[in-house]
Amino acid sequence: MKVNTLILGAGAAGLFCAAHAGPGALVIDHAKRPGDKIRISGGGRCNFTNLDVTAANFISDNPHFAKSALARYSQWDFIDLVSNAGIAWHEKTLGQLFCAGKSQAIIDLLLSMVDRANADLWLETGIERVERTDTGFRALLTRGRDGVVVEAANLVVATGGKSIPKMGATGLAYQIARDFGVPVTDTRPALVPYTFSDGRFAGISGVALPVTARANRGPTFPEAMLCTHRGLSGPAMLQTSSYWREGEAVTIDLSPGTDLAAALKARKAAAGGKPVGTILADHLPARFADLLAGELGLTDNLADWSDARIDDLAARLHGWQVVPTGTEGYRTAEVTLGGVSTEALSSKTMGATDIHGLYFIGECVDVTGWLGGYNFQWAWSSAHAAGTAIAQS
């Protein structure tokens, strides 16, 4: 079978690319349904983009690489697409946009676009081998018990990263890249909860509080932190995990926007006859305050504390540091950090600079967004870049 464009992966990027790649596109996926990660995203409501997308919201060895694709197909373009399709949406916090209904609406939109583009979609299709030919590419596929050979002028790799293997995620994109001599940067789980081997947070699992947090040399994220049986999660922790490295501390302000030193001194002057740990519960969840009281030995009454000691405690709580043992890994990571090196790709077309007709889009590329719709926008933008380049070629 001969096609113009063979697209590997029927996720957000693969489907969107098929809708723009012109006639003769075939999308294949080993899954039973297309867009499974779309379906579960955003608690089932798909956080499909963000109002404030810029290249600064992405991590890459080349921080400028994403600018071209993001500028030529922006969040506003996708918002218009969703709105014109009659899909209701709303903004939550920090510019995050969600479907008002179920995320299936986004999948249905993509499938309708693929259908209008006269592209074909094969599900439950395995990939045995992909190779280069004199005229393009050849893929040996399996459908049921049958083997199928597909020849294509263009090959688009949109198979994602390693995150959430129970949904079928593999490192196939990286293997294909290496087979074709395209470099791949180191990969690791990102947007992933932290684990602590001492189980220090297991007793307060479910407790959440607003914080600001920072890891390594990354930015500070003002979002929620959640204690779990294994460690720390919640948006603030997931965000910092993309910048964290083993053995490093995560710095957390446990009471952002509050001058704890001033508040504790005022309480000392007015009514300091209670243990410090008890008084901290006025500013932190009670169970979390109990944990701190036990770890820091906050058993004596606030009235007995000097102002200098109060200043020291406040500084520790505004700059509380924890050193995670690790993360929950690809099992629960929302995305994969790193991937196909941007040094080998055109930022305008997402095509491999040394292999005509070969494209890499979406999560498999070394462009990783923050939590909050950024990775979906990268899927739309990179897929549009590749699809329109193919259609115009």
Side-chain angles (χ1 to χ4, degrees), residues 193-393:
Y194 293 113
T195 58
F196 292 77
S197 59
D198 58 8
R200 63 193 292 192
F201 302 106
I204 59 170
S205 178
V207 171
L209 63 157
V211 301
T212 60
R214 180 177 58 84
N216 199 4
R217 291 168 295 278
T220 297
F221 293 99
E223 300 194 57
M225 179 177 76
L226 172 68
C227 300
T228 72
H229 286 289
R230 295 185 178 91
L232 294 175
S233 186
M237 297 299 99
L238 299 186
Q239 296 278 38
T240 61
S241 72
S242 297
Y243 296 88
W244 179 80
R245 296 295 181 269
E246 287 76 2
E248 295 178 347
V250 180
T251 302
I252 304 166
D253 184 343
L254 295 173
S255 189
T258 299
D259 185 339
L260 280 177
L264 290 175
K265 289 173 184 177
R267 181 63 180 271
K268 172 187 171 182
K274 291 183 179 180
V276 177
T278 301
I279 293 174
L280 278 182
D282 293 341
H283 305 281
L284 302 170
R287 293 168 64 198
F288 195 87
D290 288 344
L291 173 75
L292 291 176
E295 291 189 351
L296 302 177
L298 307 179
T299 57
D300 46 345
N301 291 341
L302 181 60
D304 299 326
W305 280 46
S306 67
D307 284 356
R309 191 179 178 191
I310 290 174
D311 288 339
D312 180 67
L313 174 64
R316 293 182 68 178
L317 299 184
H318 283 304
W320 189 55
Q321 291 196 328
V322 293
V323 180
T325 304
T327 72
E328 292 189 6
Y330 290 116
R331 182 181 67 85
T332 60
E334 297 206 12
V335 291
T336 302
L337 190 71
V340 177
S341 175
T342 57
E343 290 185 0
L345 303 179
S346 163
S347 62
K348 182 178 180 181
T349 68
M350 304 305 298
T353 52
D354 293 336
I355 302 178
H356 179 72
L358 177 62
Y359 302 81
F360 293 89
I361 60 176
E363 184 185 345
C364 71
V365 180
D366 176 29
V367 175
T368 305
W370 291 359
L371 185 72
Y374 299 100
N375 287 293
F376 270 126
Q377 186 57 48
W378 173 244
W380 316 135
S381 297
S382 61
H384 183 269
T388 54
I390 292 170
Q392 294 167 4
S393 63

